[in-house]
Amino acid sequence: MKTSLALSSRLLVCVCAALADAACGGSPPPAPAAPAPSAAAAPTDSSTPGASSGSASAAPASSSSASPDSSSDSAPVSVDSQREPFMQGCMKRVQAPDYCQCGFEQFQQLFKGTDMAKLTDDDPRFAQLQQQTMTQCASKLPEDTIKASFITGCTGSEPKKAAYCACAWPALRKSLSVVDFISDFKGPRFDDAKKTMVKSCKGKFPAAVAKAEFMGECTKNDPSTASRCGCVWKKLAAKYTTEQIAAGMADLGSTPGVDTCK
């Protein structure tokens, strides 16, 4: 059923991606056409080193819309009809059936009586669902499960990242709780944890891999910018460690010489 599949995508939590984003921060985005003082080499959610999408939250929410049937006589789509596709999708992302079941139960409570085919992305209950799932279901995610998802998501299809990702987990856990890994990973406390991580894991993220990811992201919309992107990479690499760049901690605006890259 098309509506059910689309809705399940809207509701599913991408735990693996969230965990990898939290640790790795993401590859730097393309350098701006005309560098401004405020431009920053911040991570893109979809290009986290070794991760898939990035949106990061532990609640059953994603970014796709429900794509409801527009005909006026469409049969209502019940909350309960979403259970099977939701559970299947959740289990593919994190092997924690109790957590997935708990997340669906929160969804059932908040959206009881709602015609899912008419649900919109801006429904305020999604924000409540995200917070409620974190609060009620976090204890159902065993640390071993979160760690495994973290390592898998961070490493992705690039085995050369394995040493870095294996180092990142214990480095972050020194100051963060397991529950922190299913939060949005934003704020001073998380920034400090990442700063500690890149120091502890210095030299473990392969520079060639980081550069390849940067160049791929920087030139994806315009391959002719390869020369400029290569110049920007050199300027960043001269000021920041590879780990800082990979974690999205490099600031283009304060990097000397970036404005000379043509």
Side-chain angles (χ1 to χ4, degrees):
M1 178 174 158
K2 182 177 180 180
T3 302
S4 291
L5 292 175
L7 262 172
S8 296
S9 177
R10 176 71 177 90
L11 297 169
L12 283 175
V13 48
C14 189
V15 175
C16 291
L19 295 174
D21 278 352
C24 305
S27 299
S38 60
T44 56
D45 289 339
S46 62
S47 60
T48 301
S52 56
S53 73
S55 151
S57 93
S62 181
S63 58
S64 59
S65 61
S67 302
D69 188 337
S70 59
S71 60
S72 58
D73 58 350
S74 297
V77 178
S78 70
V79 172
D80 291 342
S81 71
Q82 301 304 301
R83 186 183 186 283
E84 183 176 353
F86 174 88
M87 291 295 293
Q88 289 178 350
C90 184
M91 287 294 292
K92 285 181 180 178
R93 291 178 166 123
V94 57
Q95 291 297 310
D98 290 343
Y99 170 75
C100 292
Q101 176 60 34
C102 179
F104 188 73
E105 288 172 357
Q106 309 313 307
F107 165 60
Q108 280 181 308
Q109 293 173 17
L110 288 172
F111 291 89
K112 183 178 181 180
T114 300
D115 180 357
M116 295 290 98
K118 297 180 180 179
L119 201 60
T120 59
D121 285 343
D122 59 357
D123 191 305
R125 287 175 293 182
F126 280 120
Q128 185 178 352
L129 177 61
Q130 179 174 330
Q131 184 58 47
Q132 189 166 311
T133 302
M134 283 184 59
T135 302
Q136 300 297 323
C137 306
S139 62
K140 299 182 183 298
L141 275 174
E143 180 164 357
D144 287 348
T145 298
I146 296 181
K147 179 181 178 180
S149 294
F150 172 92
I151 298 295
T152 299
C154 182
T155 305
S157 60
E158 180 49 81
K160 292 180 181 179
K161 296 178 184 176
Y164 170 74
C165 296
C167 173
W169 172 263
L172 289 167
R173 278 289 285 120
K174 288 180 180 179
S175 58
L176 299 177
S177 68
V178 173
V179 175
D180 284 330
F181 284 81
I182 58 171
S183 69
D184 59 10
F185 224 80
K186 295 179 180 178
R189 189 162 59 88
F190 298 99
D191 292 341
D192 289 343
K194 287 174 69 174
K195 289 177 182 177
T196 298
M197 177 198 70
V198 297
K199 290 181 180 179
S200 298
C201 303
K202 184 177 180 180
K204 294 186 179 297
F205 199 109
V209 173
K211 180 180 180 180
E213 291 181 344
F214 176 87
M215 292 296 293
E217 183 68 18
C218 188
T219 62
K220 70 177 181 181
N221 294 323
D222 185 359
S224 68
T225 60
S227 178
R228 169 174 164 70
C229 291
C231 174
V232 173
W233 170 263
K234 289 180 180 179
K235 303 300 182 183
L236 290 173
K239 180 178 181 179
Y240 299 98
T241 66
T242 301
E243 291 70 30
Q244 287 175 314
I245 297 173
M249 298 169 66
D251 178 18
L252 281 175
S254 63
T255 301
V258 169
D259 57 343
T260 66
C261 294
K262 306 296 183 184

